[in-house]
Amino acid sequence: MNNFGAYVDIGTEVDGLLHVSQISREQFVRHPKEVLSLGQEVEVRVVRASAEMKKLQLSMLPESVLEEEYVRKNFEEGEDDDRIQLDEVFVDDELWGEIRRVTDYGAYVELGAVVRGFLHFMDHPMFEDHRGSPPSEFMKVGDRVRVWVSGVDTTQRRIKLTANRPDGLPGPRREIKWI
C-alpha cells in the first residue's frame, strides 16, 4: 500500500493497481489503509490492461458507476449532446441535481451538465446545524439538492455551487405569515 493506492494480487504475473479513487464513492479515501488491510481479500474489476507495459488498473466500484464514468469520459460533445454546456451556465442559475460523491470538502453534484458541479460543505444549508461534523453527516450520495451556480470556470471546466439562495435574486412579492 502507498498514498495513491494498493497493489492487489489477482493471481496473474502482474499485480494490479487499485487507485484510491477506485475504492469507494460513499466515502472519501485519503489512504487505502483507511478501508483496506494487508492480506484482505477484495472483489475488484479490471478496468484497463496493458500487456506491453505489464500494468493492470483495478476498481472496487460497482459496475453502474464504472459504466457512467466511461460514458461521461468517452461521450463526444456535439450537436446531439443534450447535456448543458458550460457556456450555457451562468452565475445565479437555479438547478436541481443529485449528489454523486461526498469528499472531506463537499460533494460532486450531477446537474445534467458536461461536468459535475462542486458544492462546498460550508455552502450547504445544513452546515450550521452540523458544525464540526464531516460533510458525510449531512450530505449523502443519492440526495437530490436544489443549488445555485456561484461560479463557472470554462478554462478548468468547473462549476461551483451553493445550496444557499443568493441574496440578490428576486423573491416572492409578499410573504405569507401563518398564525
Side-chain angles (χ1 to χ4, degrees), residues 99 119-140 143-146 162-165:
I99 294 178
L119 175 61
H120 193 273
F121 71 92
M122 291 179 78
D123 289 328
H124 193 283
M126 293 181 69
F127 170 70
E128 290 299 322
D129 299 335
H130 293 81
R131 275 195 181 273
S133 300
S136 58
E137 291 290 319
F138 55 93
M139 301 169 108
K140 304 285 184 210
D143 284 355
R144 286 195 37 86
V145 290
R146 179 181 178 187
T162 181
N164 297 308
R165 191 172 194 280

Side-chain angles (χ1 to χ4, degrees), residues 34-65:
E34 295 174 4
V35 291
L36 302 173
S37 57
L38 288 175
Q40 176 183 350
E41 284 194 24
V42 293
E43 185 176 319
V44 295
R45 291 179 180 77
V46 176
V47 178
R48 202 172 293 136
S50 171
E52 308 83 48
M53 297 176 66
K54 293 188 176 188
K55 290 187 176 185
L56 293 173
Q57 182 181 344
L58 307 174
S59 177
M60 289 177 59
L61 301 177
E63 191 69 35
S64 59
V65 172

